[in-house]
Amino acid sequence: MMKTITLSAWLLLSILLMGKWGHSLENLYIGTFYGVNVSSKGWSSKGVMPAVRMALDHVNRDRSILAGYILQEEWRDSKCDSAAAIKAMLDLVSKPPNKIMFTAPGCSPAAEPIAEAAPFWGAVQVGFSNTSPKLSDDSRFPLYSRICSSEALNNFAIVNLLKHFKWNRVAILVQQDHIFTKTKENLVALLTKNNISIVFMESFEEEHSHPVRHIKACHEGVTGRKYVWILPGWYSEKWWESKIGDTSCSGDDILLAAGNYLATRPLPLGDSKTPTISGKTAVELNDELLERSRKINYPANGFSSFAYDAIWSIALTLHQSSFALQARNKSLTNITYGDREAAELFRRILRNLTYIGMSGIVKFDRVGDRENTIEILQQQGDSRTVVGLCDKSSTMLNDSLFIWEGKIPADGVTNTTEPYEAPRIQTIMTLVTSSLGVLFSLGCLTLNILYRKHRIIKMSSPHFNSITAIGCLLCYIHVFLAVLGNSFVYGKGSRSVCVVRAYLIVVGFTLVFGGMLSKTWRVYKIFTNRRLKRQISGLSTSHLLLKILHGLLLDILVLVSWELVDPLQAKTIQMSDKITNLARESQVHPEEIQIQDGREHNSLGKKTFNSTSFGVSEIVQTVH
């Protein structure tokens, strides 16, 4: 009996206390937006709704936050459309209850007009998935802050990634949308600042079309290890299997074209071991969120952790503001639209928050952007692997986690040069032939000297035979040196060798021509002399040798003058078109070092000189 009375008294006391506590709690409403009924051009943020509800539950359970208040939401469908978002905002502010703060619509196009008009109502907003760089303009959106990072921070990570792999040449494909256009402008400025060249840039109009689909890389041959794609990290898992976009490429073809593509996105979950503001770790919160989403059959959303932290940011802002408002004889429940003092207070406290949330450390900069970490991923097979992290102060990349087809891809075709080498068979045959010519000339010269008193040799003018043999020897040596200069045996260009070759060919020609002409001239004069009594003058060996000497002196004079006035210079000449090796991603330019006249654009100088020298020598010797 006593136990029954005691239990009844305890239940009565509990009911009274609960009734008192429940009566003392006041409702605080925040306005929230979700893109639910979106068109084919929009992005659905419906998947973050379980995260918002979970955050509200956790806030309301924590009696150290907003004691005496229950935080609730009034939501509207922004439809990922600017007009629908404005209509939804007007509906929220025109109907009770009063909303003290707001989240932003999930899509940037829907968030921008509301954020711009927010000062009219004194509506402080917290975005959770808006990445447009435009929203960083604090003068245009003074009451807007966001938990997710701007695409500008993704661009910062992309540039650091390019610098890490020494990729200095990039191409850019961007959809014709004002968000992506602004992102592109920011990226172009960063690339220019870091001396990274943009070799190609194009935009496309297809909505919701992935760039790999757009250029039809699978059909254009833009595949393989020579191409590295860097895509947005917010693409859904196995996006290549979706049927969006007009393409004849299959999912496997697109994945093959994308290869081991890279992606960047804000880090979705914080440290797995550090407790968050809710008292649970990020992993524990994520497990709870997945269970909630599974029960109501809601799709997963990559921005859920940011939506969770957005609610906590609002709750902490209101909690800290409540004390400042009390000092001003105000409370959270009597804040009205257009209260600029309260709006400025909320804005200042919000941007000075620092806490550990589900997505990591939550901290804002002076314009309300989140200073969070960017996650760098690589597609490896059917899944993406985290290969690095990047923030404004540092970039950490684990090279051992990257998977490449062979070595790390280069940023373009590498242009290299190598000395030109004539085909070996051709070189060997020419060297052998010129060597035989040298030996033959030496043999003739030797025989002519040894048998100079022989009747037949003596009748053939042995002096001129020797001169002719020496001239042939010099010409063959010239050929030998010319071939050797472009061969695999001797690959260096030498100015001295080329000058010697010039002397050899000129002097050799003069000796051959002079020796043959002198013999022929003397025989001609003897057999055409019909008056035997007439003395034949100028046909002695010494006289004819003197004529040859005059020709040699003239050659030497012209050669020395040429060397003094317009000396030969070594110049590198491209011998053929580019030879491309696709496997090595390189282009080889065969080059030959030639000796030419010093004057630029005077490539005919040497030919002109040789022709002039030979012609003058012939004329001089003939006249003599």
Side-chain angles (χ1 to χ4, degrees):
M1 184 67 177
M2 288 296 296
K3 291 183 178 180
T4 304
I5 295 174
T6 304
L7 180 60
S8 300
W10 172 252
L11 289 174
L12 180 60
L13 179 62
S14 299
I15 292 171
L16 291 173
L17 289 173
M18 289 179 65
K20 181 179 179 180
W21 188 21
H23 182 72
S24 65
L25 296 179
E26 296 185 81
N27 291 322
L28 287 179
Y29 290 91
I30 59 174
T32 57
F33 300 89
Y34 307 102
V36 179
N37 299 305
V38 300
S39 65
S40 60
K41 299 181 180 180
W43 173 76
S44 174
S45 55
K46 176 182 178 181
V48 306
M49 295 177 75
V52 171
R53 307 285 167 75
M54 185 175 76
L56 289 172
D57 289 345
H58 291 174
V59 168
N60 291 327
R61 290 176 190 172
D62 189 344
R63 300 319 307 161
S64 65
I65 303 295
L66 290 175
Y69 296 99
I70 292 292
L71 193 62
Q72 299 189 42
E73 70 164 335
E74 283 279 332
W75 72 273
R76 295 293 186 274
D77 185 2
S78 61
K79 300 181 180 180
C80 196
D81 178 76
S82 58
I86 293 174
K87 181 179 179 181
M89 181 66 179
L90 293 173
D91 189 56
L92 280 174
V93 298
S94 62
K95 295 180 180 179
N98 192 65
K99 289 80 182 178
I100 192 168
M101 286 184 68
F102 296 82
T103 63
C107 294
S108 294
E112 288 176 10
I114 295 180
E116 193 168 13
F120 177 78
W121 298 290
V124 177
Q125 289 183 293
V126 181
F128 55 82
S129 60
N130 314 127
T131 60
S132 171
K134 278 188 175 182
L135 291 167
S136 297
D137 188 351
D138 195 43
S139 61
R140 184 177 173 187
F141 311 105
L143 299 184
Y144 176 87
S145 301
R146 53 183 162 187
I147 296 294
C148 64
S149 59
S150 167
E151 287 290 351
L153 191 54
N154 278 323
N155 290 342
F156 182 79
I158 290 173
V159 170
N160 283 344
L161 185 63
L162 296 174
K163 291 169 65 177
H164 177 79
F165 288 113
K166 299 180 180 179
W167 293 333
N168 297 315
R169 301 171 68 250
V170 300
I172 298 176
L173 287 172
V174 60
Q175 183 180 328
Q176 287 183 358
D177 183 275
H178 74 283
I179 299 175
F180 304 127
T181 301
K182 191 70 176 179
T183 302
K184 178 202 69 176
E185 293 173 357
N186 177 269
L187 178 59
V188 169
L190 279 177
L191 293 173
T192 303
K193 181 179 179 180
N194 288 274
N195 298 317
I196 298 175
S197 302
I198 301 172
V199 297
F200 174 82
M201 185 159 53
E202 183 180 327
S203 59
F204 57 94
E205 297 181 355
E206 289 88 346
E207 295 288 349
H208 256 206
S209 175
H210 301 292
V212 182
R213 293 178 179 273
H214 169 68
I215 67 168
K216 299 182 179 179
C218 57
H219 294 325
E220 299 295 335
V222 188
T223 62
R225 63 178 309 274
K226 296 188 301 176
Y227 301 94
V228 178
W229 294 87
I230 302 179
L231 304 177
W234 40 260
Y235 281 0
S236 61
E237 294 289 339
K238 298 185 178 181
W239 53 266
W240 54 87
E241 295 181 353
S242 64
K243 300 301 181 182
I244 299 175
D246 180 18
T247 177
S248 59
C249 298
S250 66
D252 292 336
D253 291 335
I254 295 172
L255 181 58
L256 176 64
N260 297 118
Y261 74 86
L262 301 171
T264 61
R265 69 180 182 186
L267 184 67
L269 288 179
D271 187 359
S272 60
K273 299 180 180 179
T274 305
T276 65
I277 186 70
S278 67
K280 298 182 179 182
T281 66
V283 173
E284 291 172 340
L285 290 174
N286 190 55
D287 291 340
E288 181 181 346
L289 176 61
L290 292 176
E291 180 64 20
R292 285 173 175 251
S293 299
R294 184 187 63 80
K295 288 181 177 180
I296 59 177
N297 195 27
Y298 265 50
N301 191 292
F303 290 95
S304 292
S305 61
F306 302 105
Y308 179 88
D309 290 341
I311 299 302
W312 269 101
S313 296
I314 291 174
L316 292 172
T317 299
L318 295 176
H319 174 71
Q320 295 183 24
S321 300
S322 63
F323 304 106
L325 290 173
Q326 287 178 5
R328 303 174 187 179
N329 295 320
K330 290 184 178 182
S331 67
L332 294 174
T333 55
N334 58 22
I335 299 298
T336 59
Y337 298 125
D339 190 331
R340 298 183 181 276
E341 182 183 24
E344 182 58 31
L345 175 65
F346 293 164
R347 174 181 179 272
R348 177 174 53 81
I349 291 177
L350 173 64
R351 294 188 179 181
N352 282 283
L353 290 177
T354 301
Y355 67 94
I356 299 177
M358 185 176 177
S359 61
I361 298 177
V362 177
K363 185 179 180 180
F364 300 92
D365 62 16
R366 61 180 181 81
V367 297
D369 281 347
R370 165 84 175 278
E371 297 178 358
N372 64 338
T373 302
I374 296 298
E375 192 175 50
I376 300 174
L377 309 100
Q378 185 184 39
Q379 185 71 30
Q380 299 176 359
D382 289 336
S383 61
R384 287 182 288 193
T385 301
V386 178
V387 293
L389 299 173
C390 175
D391 55 32
K392 288 186 176 180
S393 60
S394 64
T395 299
M396 296 177 292
L397 294 172
N398 191 337
D399 290 330
S400 63
L401 295 178
F402 286 90
I403 294 179
W404 304 110
E405 184 182 338
K407 64 179 182 179
I408 298 174
D411 63 351
V413 177
T414 303
N415 293 312
T416 58
T417 59
E418 63 180 20
Y420 170 76
E421 293 180 359
R424 291 201 172 196
I425 296 178
Q426 176 184 336
T427 300
I428 292 173
M429 291 180 62
T430 308
L431 288 175
V432 170
T433 304
S434 60
S435 299
L436 292 176
V438 170
L439 295 177
F440 179 75
S441 299
L442 288 173
C444 291
L445 179 62
T446 302
L447 290 175
N448 188 73
I449 294 175
L450 293 177
Y451 298 98
R452 63 184 179 279
K453 294 184 179 180
H454 192 277
R455 179 174 175 271
I456 296 178
I457 300 297
K458 191 174 183 179
M459 291 179 63
S460 65
S461 303
H463 294 89
F464 300 114
N465 290 342
S466 296
I467 291 175
T468 302
I470 293 173
C472 290
L473 175 65
L474 297 179
C475 290
Y476 280 122
I477 293 175
H478 165 80
V479 174
F480 186 89
L481 293 178
V483 175
L484 193 64
N486 289 331
S487 71
F488 58 89
V489 180
Y490 179 83
K492 299 179 180 179
S494 173
R495 179 181 178 278
S496 301
V497 172
C498 284
V499 173
V500 170
R501 284 169 48 198
Y503 278 80
L504 287 175
I505 189 64
V506 172
V507 174
F509 176 82
T510 299
L511 292 178
V512 172
F513 182 80
M516 295 294 294
L517 180 63
S518 297
K519 288 177 56 176
T520 305
W521 177 256
R522 184 157 64 180
V523 171
Y524 169 76
K525 294 298 290 183
I526 292 175
F527 281 95
T528 57
N529 183 17
R530 298 180 180 179
R531 297 182 181 181
L532 297 177
K533 294 182 180 180
R534 179 182 175 184
Q535 184 180 2
I536 301 176
S537 59
L539 297 179
S540 64
T541 299
S542 58
H543 185 78
L544 293 176
L545 289 175
L546 185 61
K547 292 181 178 181
I548 296 174
L549 180 60
H550 289 166
L552 284 175
L553 291 176
L554 180 61
D555 289 339
I556 299 299
L557 178 63
V558 175
L559 285 168
V560 172
S561 301
W562 183 25
E563 183 68 17
L564 294 176
V565 176
D566 189 16
L568 295 172
Q569 300 292 336
K571 292 185 179 180
T572 301
I573 305 298
Q574 184 174 319
M575 298 299 296
S576 63
D577 294 334
K578 297 178 181 179
I579 299 175
T580 304
N581 188 321
L582 296 177
R584 294 188 303 164
E585 303 171 349
S586 63
Q587 289 180 335
V588 181
H589 301 258
E591 293 180 340
E592 180 188 35
I593 298 179
Q594 293 185 356
I595 307 299
Q596 297 183 351
D597 297 283
R599 294 193 184 97
E600 190 175 1
H601 306 303
N602 195 20
S603 59
L604 297 177
K606 186 175 180 179
K607 295 180 181 179
T608 304
F609 163 76
N610 287 336
S611 302
T612 304
S613 178
F614 297 153
V616 171
S617 297
E618 294 174 7
I619 293 172
V620 170
Q621 294 189 45
T622 302
V623 171
H624 276 66

